[in-house]
Amino acid sequence: MTIAIHPIHPGFVAEVSGIDLAHPLSRDAVAAIETGMDRYAVLVFHDQPLTDDQQMAFSRNFGELEATLAGEMTRPEERRMVNELGDISNIDHRNRIRARDDARRLYALGNRLWHTDASFRATGAIYSLLSARVIPSAGGNTEFADMRAAYDALADATKREIEDLICEHSIAFSRAELGFTDFAEAHRAKIAPVRHRLVSTHPVTGRKSLYLASHIGGIVGWPVPEARAFIRDLMEHATQPQFVHAHVWRVNDLVMWDNRTTMHRARRYDDMNQVRDMRRTTIRGTCTDAEQAVAA
Amino acid sequence: MRIEITPLHPVFAGECSGIDTTRPLPHATVAAIEAAMDRHAVLVFRDQHLTDDQQLAFSQAFGELEFTHGTGISKPGEQRLHPAFADVSNLDKDNNILARDNRRRLYSLGNMLWHSDSSFKPVPAKYSILSGRVVATTGGETEFADMRAAYDALDDATKAEIEPLVCEHSLIYSREVMGFDDLTEAERATMHPVRQALVRTHPGSGRKSLYLASHIGTIIGWPIPEARAFIRDLTEHATQRRFVYAHHWRPFDLLMWDNRATMHRVRRYDGSQVRDMRRTTVAGTVPTAVQAAE
């Protein structure tokens, strides 16, 4: 088999064929995927039935795995999977659909806001890899937005204005936007804001992109409402239809995206009646891009 | 009385010519403007050099006016304009530009969120009438979205789902989203949430529309995060470019819009330039939903 990469959107996103992710990959295959990621930012692999161990093994080709915050917030005996896997599902550890007012469900609704995974961590995340085990019959698409193309399309004056801006990110901001404030006191430390540059440069391609997420609560040095209004404008710009691809899931799709160059969000589905079981691995970021505030 | 309307957008908004809004209007003209509003929802009148008194008189032709006192954070004595005006400027009462961290400025940035005027009142507004006395040279556009066209474009399942829904609106919610939370107890007391139907029917045109605003904090009977996520999806649907008219202001434009059929927002502009806009608001006459028992 030879790996083939077919672009499916004018600006980003490609489908990869000729590869079986369940088995160990050659160095060349890993390099080909990384090159594809640098170019397309989102890669789709169809028909990849994976066990959790296989998904983790494939993911480790690209770096260390990061535990998800939602996993960390769930009691160990109530987790459906090991902590290196993010449980992106609407079922509990006994495989029952979560109740409408279940706090885990309400927390997870934050994924319907545009975001980049782990931007609330000082080192962010490199790739996320999402495997679809069970999907609903309608809805539940994942949409991606190309933050490089969005950056390129900004007016020069805006590029100059934002070049050195630093944003504060916290999971608490995106959840507050949805009216979810039910964080256990033990997790307060994990939701303390971290700082990232608004304009990031990809370490391999050198392309600039907007590092946006609904986790942003402020811009350092700006009055908060002015920062929020401006970030909303930038988000709206960056998620215009020409920068967006909607992935319509098939069972056993594995989709991999670069959090440094894209945002994504989940769309609504009938989660009271249909199961959606997706499992995410996340490659930990390796460096900070902004000086963090000194803890008070 | 025939009035001349030139469409400004494929689905709504028109430019109205041949009318001098500084003078008292005959009943027939008022009726013709109302009929045009039923059809176009947003009307633009160019070159209307109004005094505040003339704007009040013109506005009163369409109904009783709302007073701004007792809503938001404006206080008597700090106001630049007559209490029937909403001061949509970046000026203080001495006509100085508000500082970057001025409380009123930060509060008013909430106008950059899509909204419908006075949806936070038990009987929400009918028309808003906005006079551009000094306009921003770049930015500061006012954008309008046609909530009738947005409703019509929903799929049937969504129409059926939203038909019975009732939302809670409050200024507290739209300000919270912007991170403006230093409201006093007295201010909060004036911002008690009110209920509005999510789907409303226009009394003039009989058309249904989405009654959306960033003032919405929840849907009655829904968990709050689910309600907010759904309202965001509807707002995104309703503000697609095909439903939006962006008005680029010229000095002395007078804009009139129907809050029962549109949302609007202001776009960013250079805050070091004066932008002096004055709004009068014609009160509505009927509620859209039964309020919660106290």
Side-chain angles (χ1 to χ4, degrees), chain B residues 101-285:
Chain B
D101 59 355
N102 177 275
R103 189 167 183 265
R104 209 192 97 211
R105 170 176 184 268
L106 298 181
Y107 177 86
S108 70
L109 290 174
N111 291 328
M112 289 174 68
L113 307 178
W114 285 107
H115 64 288
S116 172
D117 289 332
S118 296
S119 75
F120 47 79
K121 294 186 176 181
V123 176
K126 179 185 174 186
Y127 299 154
S128 292
I129 296 164
L130 186 58
S131 165
R133 308 292 174 88
V134 181
V135 304
T137 50
T138 54
E141 300 89 353
T142 303
E143 291 186 344
F144 296 91
D146 186 342
M147 294 298 102
R148 308 163 304 179
Y151 176 84
D152 291 346
L154 292 170
D155 60 50
D156 289 341
T158 307
K159 284 181 183 166
E161 179 177 12
I162 66 176
E163 183 67 27
L165 298 182
V166 174
C167 298
E168 272 193 1
H169 295 238
S170 166
L171 280 164
I172 291 173
Y173 300 134
S174 48
R175 270 52 196 176
E176 204 174 73
V177 165
M178 301 290 283
F180 184 97
D181 50 14
D182 68 334
L183 295 166
T184 66
E185 279 312 306
E187 286 163 351
R188 282 177 190 278
T190 68
M191 298 179 185
H192 190 72
V194 304
R195 295 181 174 193
Q196 307 289 1
L198 180 53
V199 178
R200 62 188 300 184
T201 303
H202 194 277
S205 67
R207 290 184 70 180
K208 285 188 175 178
S209 64
L210 278 172
Y211 194 32
L212 289 170
S214 59
H215 306 309
I216 295 177
T218 194
I219 299 169
I220 304 299
W222 284 42
I224 289 173
E226 187 177 2
R228 296 218 185 153
F230 187 49
I231 292 297
R232 282 179 76 102
D233 283 351
L234 288 174
T235 301
E236 185 176 304
H237 162 81
T239 57
Q240 293 174 73
R241 296 318 291 183
R242 63 190 163 120
F243 305 132
V244 171
Y245 164 69
H247 184 73
H248 299 266
W249 288 88
R250 296 184 209 159
F252 302 104
D253 280 349
L254 184 76
L255 258 66
M256 185 168 178
W257 63 86
D258 192 334
N259 289 297
R260 302 167 301 180
T262 58
M263 280 203 292
H264 62 281
R265 66 170 176 182
V266 64
R267 303 314 306 269
R268 190 167 183 244
Y269 64 98
D270 176 0
S272 68
Q273 293 189 354
V274 173
R275 183 176 188 263
D276 185 355
M277 322 283 276
R278 303 180 186 202
R279 194 189 89 204
T280 36
T281 312
V282 180
T285 51

Side-chain angles (χ1 to χ4, degrees), chain A residues 20-26 50 54 58 61:
Chain A
D20 178 358
L21 306 183
H23 293 103
L25 299 183
S26 67
L50 295 172
Q54 288 166 339
F58 170 64
N61 285 308

Side-chain angles (χ1 to χ4, degrees), chain A residues 151 154 158-165 198-199 210 230:
Chain A
Y151 176 83
L154 292 170
T158 309
K159 286 181 182 168
R160 280 193 299 275
E161 179 176 14
I162 66 175
E163 180 65 24
D164 290 317
L165 295 181
L198 178 52
V199 179
L210 282 170
F230 187 49

